[in-house]
Amino acid sequence: MLDNAFLIPLLPLLGFCVLVAAGKRAGEPAAGWIGASAVGASFLFTLVAFFELLGREQGARSVGDHLFTWIEVGGFRVDAGLLLDPLSITMALFVTGVGFLIHVYSIGYMHGDERFSKFFVYLNLFVFSMLMLILGDSLLLTFLGWEGVGACSYLLISFWFERESAASAGKKAFVVNRIGDFGFMIAMFLCFATFGTLQYAGIIEGAEGAPHTTVTAIALLLFVGACGKSAQLPLFVWLPDAMEGPTPVSALIHAATMVTAGVYLMARAAPLLALTPDVGTTIAIVGAATALFAATIACAQDDIKRVLAYSTISQLGYMFLAVGSGAYVAAIFHMVTHAFFKALLFLGAGSVIHGLHDEQDMKRMGALKKWMPVTSATFVIGWLAIAGVPPFAGFWSKDDILLNAYEKSPALWAVGLLTALLTAYYMSRQVFLVFWGEERWRKAPVADKLELTEPEPVGDQAAVAVAPALMGPGDQVATGHGDHAAVADGHPAAGHGAHGREPHESPWLMTGPLVVLAVLSVVAGFVNLPFGSWARLEHWLEPVFEESLHHVDATSSTKLTLALVAIAAAGAGLAFAYATFMKAKRVDAYEPAILKRAWGIDAIYAAVIVTPGRALSAFLAYVVDAKVIDGVVNSLGTLVRGGGGVLRKVQTGYVRNYALGVAFGATLLLGWVVVRSGGV
């Protein structure tokens, strides 16, 4: 299978091509099954490749597969090839596995959409791009996939582009990611100038002999790219608005694909980070700050998907905290467990939206466990996993990160611990508001649910008005519009039933993937238990990181104490949420306006960047372009036209006038010749 590894990315690409050519004719649900089958087959081939690598000795678990020569100009040559090692195969397993489940879920979720087949065209292309990103053996191939997932995210976030909020969110994601991509490109230029290659093997081999300043610059620039793709401070603002796409898109972006690319890139660059400890510290600080910052915002959001969006940013911060601490295995471990429970939570949220007829405001929900038993049971498992409750998967991976952070710096550990407490609180708040308590959905006015325009603003109105492309819907909360809200937007909300009906459980195509992800959210933590030989993931990834990997020197008592403190923090967050929302039934408790507005970051960007940028654009358009550039061009045109008008007067149409002119000219020429010859 390793000799045919090209089939892993090729199958989703073939699915994309088939759907482009015949997807519309195949229709619903055939187009969805074509897309799901392509990704499912890719998962099976990845699984075979995994077992083949597992059967090899540790030192032989890195296999290159040259595909073809991509570019060859003079001495410049770029080969297209795949790198199959424990890191890339681990990533490919959950990308294709979770991607397959999301494809199946989407067949039920997108039922009735007039662009049903096009949705799966984009999903297959998204998975192909992500696979090229993680399987490419060079920075250039990774960058190709990097830009591919960026383009697909634009297409999918703005899939229902008839809604202005969706169109703006897609543009916002595209623009913000270009900032990070600039850092990635400069890093590639530096790598080629320094090492003469973009192959990972050549870069790692030459890193030790390269100037320290250059290696530091490369590592920092790669981190800038990672901040854009994985939504770290200050480039996180696009990810909350990515929820404007259909819910399966949110699950795919937030759990299995795009946002994990930055963490993967940093893990692949581990040998560079090992040579630049100051860069590692910077990454750890940014990760910890992002984790805490996003967690505070999630505590005050009302939209069921928006809570999960800020949760993703926070969990990605944990992963970068691990990377900065040298705990690359812990980062990958949490990436894997997060892929399972975050996909479960997003798809569960989609099931709630579907079953509650497109409602997204958690304060208009309540007591849904009676009406949606499968969705509620699986969502609870995802909640316990992300809250860090043992023995669910999230506990083991998050505890691993906190342990390594403590070794790095007790201050970073404290920030991570506080974030864990807040995570347990806001996720408990979400579960209690959605599945327990009163049936508040009965009290939501039908007229308010059916409103199709003017969502309730809570952010900076001027900022949104002057910069829809950058701001998107970031300062708005849901008002019951939901994923399928507006019939006028091209998506038949009637396909999910009319407003005012009681909630209902989702079809098996949607609940089936939830059950599978729930099981994985329970058992995934056991792949890397902190008990010697039970740390299977660490042993599997050791050949990739080798000396770059940080090994914790803490005693068993220290590890146990830190684990108990983390459990206590999770318990405190859960207990406080229970006392607030279940006992006291305070639905609107602890929601500062500043947190609802995400600390006003979008408004700050609008004031500092967008408004001046628009003013500069207006000046260039209406003054420099219209008056200066156009003025010069128009003046030349006026001069030519005026001169032509004067010359036109000599064109009388009479032959005698032309003959007189010729004679006069001949006389002048004769006189000039005589004068020049000295005859006069």
Side-chain angles (χ1 to χ4, degrees), residues 33 82 187 265 430 550 571:
W33 285 114
L82 303 180
L265 181 64
Q430 182 176 56
H550 172 70

Side-chain angles (χ1 to χ4, degrees), residues 142-428:
T142 293
F143 188 71
L144 177 67
W146 190 275
E147 292 303 297
V149 295
C152 291
S153 70
Y154 168 76
L155 295 171
L156 286 166
I157 293 170
S158 57
F159 184 76
W160 289 322
F161 55 84
E162 298 89 344
R163 293 197 324 222
E164 183 179 348
S165 59
S168 296
K171 289 183 285 185
K172 184 176 182 179
F174 190 83
V175 170
V176 174
N177 271 274
R178 297 292 73 73
I179 299 172
D181 293 352
F182 180 76
F184 195 156
M185 291 177 66
I186 300 300
M188 286 198 299
F189 298 155
L190 272 178
C191 283
F192 189 77
T194 305
F195 308 115
T197 181
L198 294 177
Q199 304 293 122
Y200 287 119
I203 293 172
I204 293 171
E205 184 179 346
E208 290 191 9
H212 183 268
T213 304
T214 303
V215 176
T216 301
I218 292 171
L220 282 174
L221 288 166
L222 289 175
F223 179 54
V224 170
C227 283
K229 200 65 74 181
S230 294
Q232 297 297 284
L233 287 170
L235 300 179
F236 73 96
V237 292
W238 69 271
L239 190 56
D241 295 339
M243 69 166 198
E244 286 295 320
T247 297
V249 173
S250 303
L252 196 61
I253 290 177
H254 288 247
T257 56
M258 186 167 171
V259 298
T260 63
V263 182
Y264 166 78
L265 181 64
M266 290 293 94
R268 187 58 79 186
L272 301 182
L273 299 181
L275 298 173
T276 54
D278 290 342
V279 175
T281 301
T282 301
I283 294 172
I285 292 172
V286 171
T290 302
L292 180 60
F293 176 83
T296 60
I297 298 172
C299 292
Q301 301 302 304
D302 294 335
D303 187 298
I304 187 172
K305 288 172 62 178
R306 206 167 193 80
V307 173
L308 299 177
Y310 282 108
S311 170
T312 297
I313 298 171
S314 181
Q315 297 302 304
L316 288 167
Y318 267 117
M319 297 175 207
F320 280 100
L321 172 59
V323 167
S325 302
Y328 305 108
V329 171
I332 301 302
F333 185 25
H334 196 57
M335 187 194 302
V336 172
T337 61
H338 178 264
F340 297 143
F341 61 68
K342 185 52 63 67
L344 170 61
L345 291 169
F346 260 111
L347 297 184
S351 182
V352 169
I353 295 168
H354 177 280
L356 203 55
H357 316 297
D358 307 317
E359 180 63 80
Q360 289 186 217
D361 190 339
M362 296 189 300
K363 292 177 181 175
R364 295 178 178 175
M365 298 181 185
L368 293 181
K369 63 184 178 67
K370 179 178 72 173
W371 304 91
M372 308 178 68
V374 177
T375 298
S376 63
T378 54
F379 200 97
V380 164
I381 291 174
W383 158 49
L384 295 174
I386 193 174
V389 176
F392 297 92
F395 164 75
W396 302 106
S397 56
K398 189 180 296 185
D399 188 63
D400 198 2
I401 292 174
L402 291 175
L403 175 61
N404 281 274
Y406 185 81
E407 285 270 297
K408 176 77 174 179
S409 164
L412 291 174
W413 169 82
V415 173
L417 185 68
L418 178 57
T419 302
L421 188 151
L422 291 176
T423 302
Y425 166 75
Y426 68 70
M427 288 305 304
S428 301

Side-chain angles (χ1 to χ4, degrees), residues 34-65:
I34 292 171
S37 299
V39 178
S42 179
F43 170 71
L44 292 177
F45 279 111
T46 306
L47 199 60
V48 173
F50 164 73
F51 282 113
E52 286 198 28
L53 281 184
L54 191 62
R56 295 183 171 213
E57 296 293 329
Q58 276 202 349
R61 287 179 179 169
S62 181
V63 179
D65 184 10

Side-chain angles (χ1 to χ4, degrees), residues 423-651:
T423 302
Y425 166 75
Y426 68 70
M427 288 305 304
S428 301
R429 170 181 178 264
Q430 182 176 56
V431 170
F432 295 148
L433 288 178
V434 173
F435 296 105
W436 272 272
E438 299 178 352
E439 294 180 339
R440 294 181 301 279
W441 47 270
R442 292 188 184 275
K443 303 175 183 178
V446 173
D448 195 18
K449 287 186 178 183
L450 289 175
E451 182 184 342
L452 299 181
T453 58
E454 299 297 331
E456 177 187 352
V458 294
D460 188 295
Q461 291 296 326
V464 176
V466 300
L470 183 59
M471 293 298 296
D475 286 335
Q476 298 174 349
V477 295
T479 57
H481 302 335
D483 274 357
H484 306 77
V487 177
D489 286 349
H491 192 89
H496 289 194
H499 286 287
R501 290 172 50 190
E502 291 181 336
H504 60 84
E505 185 60 277
S506 299
W508 70 269
L509 277 173
M510 296 172 63
T511 56
L514 295 181
V515 173
V516 175
L517 288 168
V519 172
L520 291 171
S521 297
V522 176
V523 304
F526 296 102
V527 303
N528 200 51
L529 295 178
F531 309 122
S533 61
W534 289 87
R536 295 185 178 90
L537 183 64
E538 181 175 347
H539 299 320
W540 165 249
L541 292 174
E542 263 181 344
V544 177
F545 301 117
E546 296 179 337
E547 298 86 6
S548 305
L549 191 62
H550 172 70
H551 293 282
V552 177
D553 294 327
T555 62
S556 298
S557 60
T558 300
K559 294 179 181 179
L560 180 60
T561 301
L562 293 177
L564 292 175
V565 171
I567 294 172
L574 194 155
F576 185 70
Y578 181 82
T580 302
F581 301 105
M582 294 297 291
K583 288 290 188 181
K585 298 181 179 180
R586 298 176 59 192
V587 176
D588 297 314
Y590 311 114
E591 298 177 1
I594 188 67
L595 296 185
K596 280 186 172 293
R597 295 196 301 270
W599 293 100
I601 298 298
D602 274 330
I604 293 172
Y605 277 8
V608 175
I609 300 173
V610 179
T611 302
R614 287 177 65 88
L616 177 61
S617 299
F619 173 76
L620 294 174
Y622 300 118
V623 177
V624 176
D625 186 45
K627 295 184 178 179
V628 178
I629 298 176
D630 285 354
V632 171
V633 173
N634 293 338
S635 296
L636 289 174
T638 301
L639 179 63
V640 172
R641 184 175 60 184
V646 172
L647 294 175
R648 187 172 62 242
K649 294 178 181 179
V650 304
Q651 300 294 327

Side-chain angles (χ1 to χ4, degrees), residues 12-13 15-16 19 31-32 35-36 38-39 95 98-107 109-110 115-131 148-149 152-153 155-157 159 246-253 257 347:
L13 180 62
F16 162 77
L19 288 169
V39 178
V95 167
V98 176
F100 169 70
L101 294 173
I102 292 173
H103 273 69
V104 173
Y105 177 97
S106 300
I107 296 172
Y109 190 85
M110 296 300 292
R115 293 193 293 271
F116 182 88
S117 62
K118 183 177 290 187
F119 182 75
F120 289 92
V121 168
Y122 296 159
L123 282 190
N124 267 206
L125 184 61
F126 204 153
V127 173
F128 162 73
S129 299
M130 188 64 190
L131 289 172
V149 295
C152 291
S153 70
L155 295 171
L156 286 166
I157 293 170
F159 184 76
T247 297
V249 173
S250 303
L252 196 61
I253 290 177
T257 56
L347 297 184

